Amino acid sequence: MRNFKPKDIKKILDQTGLPTVYRSWKRGEAPDLPYIIYYQATTETLGADDITYYARPDYNIELYSNTKDIASEEKIERVLTDNKIYYEKSEDIDIPKEGFMEIIYYI
């Protein structure tokens, strides 16, 4: 199990060349699409003797784009694989009223 900190993930995602931020952009400061938002979604814990023995944060990495952006997805997948990070991916989220598509990587 790897235990990442937000700054570690930022450094890895910066290798994609895509704008990347933790949690959200400040109002009015979001760059043009595509861009990445990442955040700690949950914490996976292991208990022993009625205490939390080990806690590992789980992160979501969200790619926002105007349409399906295979090139940006490949950039993210390449840096995750190069850094030996296991991920699962959900690519069925389309938000037409907002004018973008969202792909989520779970690490």
Side-chain angles (χ1 to χ4, degrees):
M1 281 190 215
R2 291 177 70 177
N3 197 350
F4 293 102
K5 294 184 177 13
K7 67 180 180 176
D8 300 328
I9 296 172
K10 171 85 164 95
K11 185 176 178 182
I12 291 166
L13 293 174
D14 282 344
Q15 296 171 22
T16 65
L18 296 169
T20 303
V21 70
Y22 185 82
R23 186 56 68 186
S24 65
W25 301 99
K26 291 182 181 177
R27 186 175 300 276
E29 293 186 11
D32 292 335
L33 298 173
Y35 59 73
I36 298 170
I37 293 176
Y38 71 101
Y39 56 92
Q40 182 178 334
T42 61
T43 300
E44 194 170 318
T45 58
L46 175 65
D49 299 323
D50 295 327
I51 63 168
T52 299
Y53 177 73
Y54 181 79
R56 183 192 76 199
D58 293 325
Y59 290 89
N60 287 0
I61 298 168
E62 299 177 352
L63 170 65
Y64 292 89
S65 57
N66 290 318
T67 61
K68 177 114 172 114
D69 186 345
I70 294 172
S72 293
E73 291 177 46
E74 288 174 347
K75 288 177 184 179
I76 293 170
E77 292 165 19
R78 187 175 317 113
V79 300
L80 293 176
T81 299
D82 288 350
N83 285 278
K84 297 179 174 49
I85 299 172
Y86 174 80
Y87 64 88
E88 293 184 18
K89 175 181 173 181
S90 173
E91 60 178 85
D92 58 353
I93 301 171
D94 186 11
I95 309 167
K97 71 178 184 177
E98 299 291 336
F100 57 80
M101 180 171 193
E102 178 185 25
I103 305 296
I104 304 176
Y105 295 87
Y106 306 94
I107 65 170

